[in-house]
Amino acid sequence: MRRVITKASRAARIRLPARNLYEGIAKRFDAGTREQPQDLTYFVMSTLANATLPMIIDDEASIAGLSLDQNDKITKQINFHHLRHGFWQRALSMMVEYRAGRAVRKAVAHRIERGDTDKADFLHTLLELEDVIGLRGISYLIVTLSSAVSTAPGAIASCMLYKLLLDEERFERVHEELADWDVASIAQIDHGQFKYCQRFIKEALRLWSFPLRARRLVHTDMWIDGELICKGDVYDLSFEHFHRDSAVWDDAASFHEERWLSPSEAQMKSYFPFGFSKRSCLGASIGLDQLLIFLRLATVDFQFLLADDAKPKLSSEILHVPSDFVGTFRRK
């Protein structure tokens, strides 16, 4: 069953309309504007996590449940060592996640039963797969996609904003390239036309990998360096190791977007921000679109200012995000 769902997810890999993404994220930017300084890391992560939900599943109960679940996960990820992790906290999080999944399953079942084809969300494109993966498989893909386009793009975007606010030259280069981009009128983004931003995003994905590691299951016996790895074993795959290997990357711990002007073959083989082949991220295309749109909003449409007493720094406890990243923003 899982293999069938995996094949279906690759067939259903999508790009949401760029203008819809832009309008959805910009709307949350406007709604999040405050006169008082706020945690910019949480704002960026929650904004990118929630802005795409109506485009994935146009159902109020599902959106509310998934939003609550995503915000709960974001809060725990950026405040990992400052929160209690007792039994009741874990139980509450599990209940929130369960209710989100139940709301999605109910919405999918209702849509299948009614044969509703009026809504132009991602769920609509999956309904034809009912005979292949069933109600459970469609619900699984909806929840998986909502997760894929939430934490990872938000974490990377917060790191990019941190970099831009502390580096005026890079900020100006991004602003100059995106200033005349009429993103609100296009359906799909041609990333190749934004050469500098493309390199900037690639380097951000390399340096601030998400997740730091992933657990995988061994599907067949294999020998590696004289050791037998048996089917059924589990192993941890470190994207951080590959992306910061000093044998492959010069000055691996530093941000150098110009390295992408002429990357070596070894570097290309050691770069996989969205995972590997069959297990690659379902939301990769959407994530890249989100990041480019975020750069446009953060440099052209809105002005961000750090609080006077803010002392931001990059943290890497369970993911790369800025801490003490406090400030305000307003539409220009």
Side-chain angles (χ1 to χ4, degrees):
M1 178 64 176
R2 188 178 184 88
R3 183 173 298 177
V4 173
I5 293 176
T6 300
K7 289 181 178 179
S9 71
R10 292 205 304 276
R13 207 172 298 270
I14 59 166
R15 296 274 299 269
L16 296 178
R19 53 178 171 265
N20 292 4
L21 275 175
Y22 174 77
E23 291 169 0
I25 299 173
K27 182 178 179 180
R28 296 204 52 108
F29 266 62
D30 284 322
T33 302
R34 302 284 186 275
E35 292 185 3
Q36 298 300 318
Q38 59 179 300
D39 184 338
L40 296 178
T41 296
Y42 179 82
F43 168 76
V44 171
M45 293 185 68
S46 64
T47 291
L48 293 193
N50 290 289
T52 56
L53 291 180
M55 288 171 269
I56 295 173
I57 179 167
D58 187 3
D59 174 74
E60 290 186 5
S62 298
I63 292 171
L66 291 169
S67 177
L68 187 62
D69 182 40
Q70 299 296 0
N71 290 339
D72 177 63
K73 288 182 169 65
I74 290 168
T75 299
K76 290 188 295 185
Q77 287 167 337
I78 64 179
N79 298 290
F80 183 75
H81 290 301
H82 304 288
L83 296 176
R84 298 180 63 184
H85 300 279
F87 171 79
W88 292 113
Q89 286 73 29
R90 293 195 298 271
L92 179 60
S93 294
M94 290 175 63
M95 179 60 69
V96 169
E97 185 175 14
Y98 169 76
R99 287 183 174 178
R102 185 176 65 179
V104 169
R105 289 192 297 273
K106 184 177 180 179
V108 173
H110 184 67
R111 192 85 69 90
I112 291 174
E113 181 181 348
R114 292 183 56 186
D116 190 352
T117 59
D118 294 336
K119 297 183 177 180
D121 54 8
F122 177 56
L123 172 57
H124 173 73
T125 68
L126 293 178
L127 295 180
E128 64 185 32
L129 297 176
E130 180 196 358
D131 293 339
V132 180
I133 60 178
L135 169 64
R136 179 184 173 187
I138 293 175
S139 302
Y140 169 83
L141 287 177
I142 292 294
V143 174
T144 299
L145 180 61
S146 68
S147 178
V149 299
S150 60
T151 308
I156 297 295
S158 67
C159 290
M160 294 197 306
L161 180 62
Y162 165 87
K163 190 68 177 176
L164 292 173
L165 293 185
L166 298 181
D167 192 321
E168 184 176 350
E169 181 180 350
R170 286 188 169 97
F171 182 97
E172 290 301 327
R173 292 189 69 179
V174 170
H175 176 276
E176 181 181 0
E177 192 166 71
L178 297 178
D180 297 327
W181 181 30
D182 187 14
V183 62
S185 66
I186 64 172
Q188 291 195 353
I189 298 174
D190 176 13
H191 287 262
Q193 65 179 306
F194 305 109
K195 302 297 185 182
Y196 179 75
C197 289
Q198 189 176 46
R199 298 196 298 274
F200 188 91
I201 291 173
K202 280 187 176 182
E203 183 66 355
L205 289 168
R206 181 197 71 83
L207 190 61
W208 303 309
S209 303
F210 181 92
L212 298 183
R213 66 172 182 265
R215 180 150 291 185
R216 295 288 184 260
L217 179 69
V218 179
H219 293 285
T220 185
D221 293 346
M222 64 183 73
W223 288 88
I224 299 179
D225 294 334
E227 296 288 337
L228 175 62
I229 310 298
C230 299
K231 179 180 179 180
D233 287 348
V234 294
Y235 64 97
D236 286 332
L237 178 66
S238 173
F239 297 100
E240 181 94 339
H241 169 76
F242 287 104
H243 289 171
R244 296 195 178 203
D245 186 354
S246 58
V248 176
W249 309 93
D250 296 331
D251 200 6
S254 297
F255 191 97
H256 291 307
E257 65 274 44
E258 302 308 322
R259 72 172 83 242
W260 294 103
L261 285 171
S262 55
S264 67
E265 182 179 353
Q267 289 171 342
M268 295 303 296
K269 289 182 177 180
S270 296
Y271 181 72
F272 25 78
F274 302 109
F276 302 92
S277 119
K278 295 181 180 181
R279 295 298 301 273
S280 61
C281 178
L282 175 63
S285 296
I286 301 175
L288 288 173
D289 288 350
Q290 284 178 295
L291 293 178
L292 189 61
I293 288 171
F294 175 80
L295 287 179
R296 158 62 190 244
L297 287 164
T299 61
V300 179
D301 299 316
F302 288 80
Q303 180 182 27
F304 282 80
L305 295 173
L306 290 174
D308 292 337
D309 57 348
K311 298 180 180 178
K313 62 180 180 180
L314 284 177
S315 172
S316 56
E317 294 175 343
I318 60 173
L319 74 166
H320 294 292
V321 289
S323 60
D324 195 18
F325 194 39
V326 179
T328 60
F329 61 93
R330 62 177 179 83
R331 184 176 279 276
K332 292 181 179 179

